[in-house]
């Protein structure tokens, strides 16, 4: 059974930074492409970023490119999302997700499964 511990969310002023972490157990972490999704109240789940198994391939949604950085530490089974220059529109619940398919792009968001409860990010103006 996959278990996920997500952390790092919180309340921050616009322009601030947060670093999200997601530690996964119950699967072979380095066999999964990983990603971050977010969902704001009343909106659909949105793919934010993904990273390939080795970390060689990265993808960012246009809305976060240049501000967010995804990374992973396969030795620690942990996924990260460094979020800088935060905006009020980044307010959402953030979830880490993974797929055993070796894919990382917006065309493949539908094969990503999220397992955790997410972590809340709130950005005040």
């Amino acid at each position: 059974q996959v278990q996920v511990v997500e952390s790092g969310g919180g309340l921050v002023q616009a322009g601030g930074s947060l670093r999200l972490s997601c530690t996964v157990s119950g699967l072979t972490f380095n066999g999964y492409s990983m990603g971050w999704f977010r969902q704001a109240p009343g909106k659909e789940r949105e793919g934010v970023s993904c990273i390939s198994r080795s970390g060689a391939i990265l993808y960012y949604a246009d809305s976060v490119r240049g501000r967010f950085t995804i990374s992973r530490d396969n030795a620690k089974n942990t996924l990260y999302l460094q979020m800088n220059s935060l905006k009020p529109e980044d307010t959402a619940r953030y979830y880490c997700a993974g797929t055993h398919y070796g894919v990382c792009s917006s065309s493949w968001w539908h094969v990503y499964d999220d397992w955790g409860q997410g972590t809340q990010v709130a950005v005040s103006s």
Side-chain angles (χ1 to χ4, degrees), residues 1-4 24-32 34 77 98 115:
Q1 184 177 354
V2 179
Q3 293 187 322
V4 172
V24 183
S25 60
L27 53 76
T28 304
F29 185 74
N30 62 12
Y32 282 70
M34 296 295 297
N77 284 12
W115 309 290

Side-chain angles (χ1 to χ4, degrees), residues 33-51:
S33 293
M34 296 295 297
W36 288 98
F37 290 74
R38 67 186 182 186
Q39 189 165 20
K43 294 188 177 180
E44 293 186 352
R45 188 179 82 151
E46 174 189 17
V48 174
S49 180
C50 61
I51 185 169

Side-chain angles (χ1 to χ4, degrees), residues 41-107:
K43 294 188 177 180
E44 293 186 352
R45 188 179 82 151
E46 174 189 17
V48 174
S49 180
C50 61
I51 185 169
S52 61
R53 294 161 176 163
S54 66
I57 298 173
L58 309 176
Y59 173 85
Y60 298 96
D62 289 344
S63 57
V64 306
R65 187 174 294 117
R67 300 187 297 120
F68 290 10
T69 302
I70 191 170
S71 62
R72 65 190 296 163
D73 185 337
N74 286 344
K76 296 181 178 180
N77 284 12
T78 300
L79 176 72
Y80 303 99
L81 187 68
Q82 178 67 44
M83 305 187 295
N84 298 330
S85 303
L86 282 161
K87 303 176 181 180
E89 51 263 44
D90 295 318
T91 295
R93 193 159 194 87
Y94 285 70
Y95 301 85
C96 69
T99 177
H100 63 279
Y101 296 107
V103 291
C104 172
S105 76
S106 61
S107 299

